[in-house]
Amino acid sequence: MTPPRRQPARRRTAVLGRRVVLATVPVAVAALVGAAGPAGAGTTGAAGVGDPYFPLSGNGGYHVRHYDLTLRYQNGGRIDGTAVLTARATQPLTRFDLDLKGLTVGGVTVDRTAATVKRTGQELAVTPRHALRAGQDFEVAVTYHGTPKPVTDPDGSADGWIPTDDGAFVANQPQGAMTWFPANAHPKDKSSYDFTITVPEGRTAVANGALLGQRTVKGETTFRWRETQPMAAYLATATIGTFQVRRYTTRDGVQVFDAVDPREAKAAAPVLKQLPSVLEWESKLFGPYPFKSAGSIVDHADVGYALETQTRPLYDSAPDIFTLVHESAHQWYGDSVSLTSWQDIWLNEGFATYAEWLYSEQHGGDSAQKTFDDLYAHPAGDELWAYPPGDPGSGGNIFGTPVYDRGAMALHELRKAVGDRTFFTILRAWATEHRDGHGTTAQFVRLAEKESGKRLDPLFRTWLFTKGKPNKA
């Protein structure tokens, strides 16, 4: 994600036939979700997974393997939806929660039998007719409707379903998925997805993964999308607008789908045409591109940020090359390797920001060292040193300057400490060993020490967890 433009010192450079495709999700994911939260024992799934910054995000007691989402969007903004979740109980359950905010629920079934439902804020509490056993697979179907509205995040920015003059800009980080579909909405829980989205003829609905087909009947067009690789709910999108579409395949076999608002097309074209070369360059540094699809959604939305929606980053206006590099780097760091806690967001944003530094260094711009030195010259009272990136302190700080720039500075300090060869080995190993899964700061530190043979805890403690401006080594 690229940081909101309203804070200029920061730059977020952040069903037609139901065929269920289940994601191959590491066993550890289910263990994480099942163990989290105060209701890890007993028969009631927790209302949240226990994230310290967003305590009600996600739910305990089950893991969603697959989402099958069917949406019909009408002029005026109303949606009619059906969400079918294929899940597995990680503990005995007499009740479990889904995250859903602001939409009217028509009905809920569990294994095709009507369930009892209670709404409490963003929680949809579901009581199935028959209790679920630990390890039991089950299917939840929710019908719902209404006019979605975004949520306001602790930093004042909007996320989720954000209406535009021709549709919707759908960017869910960190908590917006619940504004348009019922979900286990925390990065700990990753799933595969099918999307079937019907819109008025002339509009395009863009989601994640591969476009399976589209069909126009009686003034409406239905688009079918599929993402088979594990994806956190905040990385899903169903962006709708009047778009110019371009499709092609890279020489590495990646299917690219670009959707661009005509008002942004001229400015976006020179940057978007560099996407294949950017992905090729990043693949050499970080390892093979982790997905089968790629592309961009360039809207005319004035939202103030971009987001690394999986396989198809979302831009609220024509991006510059560094924003493209940043959001593309997230496909490795943030999307394929996901967070375990929002506290660790520097693992997303520090890495993507450092990718910008490396791109500049290797494409005739400032060296990473010069970028580091320019930042380090900021006085001790500057917002860069306001809080440590490894522990921003609250959800209101996760998109702040320290997470991005000081997070990147921590990586540069690591690079200087271990040398280029070992440093880039560490970056590739992190993306490879945690592909389609999750990571923590502690795991990254252990990996860096293993690959380098050096004790690096003091370095990370200084650059990630020490308040104020660190002293240079």
Side-chain angles (χ1 to χ4, degrees):
M1 198 172 199
T2 52
R5 286 194 293 270
R6 60 182 176 72
Q7 300 186 25
R10 306 194 246 149
R11 190 181 69 204
R12 275 191 195 177
T13 50
V15 201
L16 307 176
R18 296 187 184 281
R19 179 187 170 195
V20 174
V21 180
L22 298 180
T24 303
V25 181
V27 174
V29 175
L32 282 168
V33 176
T43 60
T44 300
V49 299
D51 190 282
Y53 293 173
F54 298 93
L56 288 180
S57 291
N59 304 280
Y62 66 96
H63 158 55
V64 180
R65 301 170 66 193
H66 182 77
Y67 290 87
D68 193 339
L69 304 178
T70 303
L71 298 176
R72 182 172 179 265
Y73 171 86
Q74 302 175 43
N75 289 326
R78 174 187 164 111
I79 65 170
D80 293 277
T82 299
V84 179
L85 286 62
T86 303
R88 173 168 292 176
T90 57
Q91 67 180 63
L93 288 174
T94 56
R95 197 190 78 195
F96 59 89
D97 282 16
L98 298 168
D99 297 315
L100 184 67
K101 184 178 178 64
L103 296 169
T104 300
V105 174
V108 178
T109 63
V110 177
D111 290 333
R112 303 186 181 183
T113 300
T116 302
V117 181
K118 181 179 179 181
R119 299 294 296 266
T120 306
Q122 70 182 58
E123 299 299 316
L124 185 66
V126 178
T127 303
R129 181 170 296 181
H130 304 291
L132 302 170
R133 305 180 311 275
Q136 179 180 341
D137 292 330
F138 63 100
E139 181 183 275
V140 185
V142 183
T143 58
Y144 57 99
H145 65 270
T147 302
K149 297 179 181 178
V151 293
T152 301
D153 292 327
D155 68 353
S157 60
D159 85 282
W161 188 281
I162 303 172
T164 61
D165 61 3
D166 60 354
F169 180 94
V170 184
N172 302 326
Q173 190 181 36
Q175 56 182 343
M178 64 182 173
T179 65
W180 60 283
F181 69 98
N184 194 2
H186 189 276
K188 281 183 178 179
D189 204 46
K190 299 173 71 170
S191 319
S192 57
Y193 281 74
D194 274 298
F195 304 85
T196 301
I197 310 168
T198 299
V199 295
E201 186 175 2
R203 311 281 179 89
T204 300
V206 190
N208 311 85
L211 177 63
L212 302 185
Q214 65 185 77
R215 182 184 181 190
T216 300
V217 177
K218 296 182 180 179
E220 293 184 318
T221 303
T222 298
F223 295 83
R224 295 188 299 119
W225 296 88
R226 175 172 294 160
E227 174 55 276
T228 60
Q229 290 174 262
M231 179 168 72
Y234 85 86
L235 296 170
T237 192
T239 292
I240 297 166
T242 305
F243 294 123
Q244 295 177 359
V245 171
R246 181 183 179 221
R247 302 176 66 180
Y248 62 94
T249 302
T250 70
R251 61 184 182 183
D252 293 327
V254 177
Q255 296 180 4
V256 178
F257 186 102
D258 288 336
V260 182
D261 187 295
R263 292 166 288 188
E264 302 291 338
K266 183 177 180 181
V271 177
L272 296 189
K273 73 178 183 180
Q274 297 183 66
L275 178 61
S277 64
V278 167
L279 293 180
E280 183 177 357
W281 174 77
E282 291 181 332
S283 294
K284 291 177 181 177
L285 290 182
F286 310 143
Y289 179 69
F291 304 112
K292 300 173 184 177
S293 304
S296 306
I297 307 170
V298 182
D299 211 338
H300 185 76
D302 194 30
V303 171
Y305 59 81
L307 179 64
E308 61 273 16
T309 44
Q310 188 161 308
T311 71
R312 196 152 293 114
L314 179 61
Y315 306 95
D316 75 328
S317 60
D320 63 21
I321 185 60
F322 290 104
T323 305
L324 186 82
V325 167
H326 183 108
E327 304 303 338
S328 297
H330 274 311
Q331 302 306 303
W332 285 262
Y333 307 114
D335 294 13
S336 178
V337 183
S338 297
L339 299 174
T340 302
S341 167
W342 285 109
Q343 177 180 317
D344 281 334
I345 193 169
W346 85 276
L347 289 168
N348 292 12
E349 303 303 348
F351 281 54
T353 300
Y354 199 67
E356 296 181 62
W357 297 15
L358 293 170
Y359 190 86
S360 173
E361 181 175 83
Q362 297 182 22
H363 291 81
D366 288 345
S367 67
Q369 184 62 54
K370 184 178 187 306
T371 304
F372 178 97
D373 291 341
D374 288 346
L375 286 169
Y376 191 78
H378 290 202
D382 188 84
E383 67 171 335
L384 175 61
W385 318 115
Y387 47 85
D391 187 6
S394 74
N397 291 335
I398 61 175
F399 302 123
T401 300
V403 170
Y404 290 73
D405 290 344
R406 187 170 162 183
M409 294 174 83
L411 290 174
H412 191 67
E413 286 291 296
L414 173 63
R415 180 183 177 186
K416 291 191 295 183
V418 302
D420 276 14
R421 182 173 180 176
T422 299
F423 175 73
F424 289 109
T425 296
I426 292 168
L427 292 189
R428 290 175 66 96
W430 182 247
T432 300
E433 293 180 13
H434 295 270
R435 180 171 176 159
D436 290 337
H438 298 81
T440 66
T441 297
Q443 289 173 323
F444 182 72
V445 172
R446 287 198 297 271
L447 173 66
E449 291 185 330
K450 173 187 171 185
E451 295 293 342
S452 67
K454 295 186 176 184
R455 182 171 175 266
L456 297 169
D457 184 67
L459 182 154
F460 287 109
R461 185 168 58 251
T462 296
W463 286 94
L464 293 180
F465 297 105
T466 301
K467 295 181 180 180
K469 183 175 181 177
N471 293 321
K472 281 189 176 181

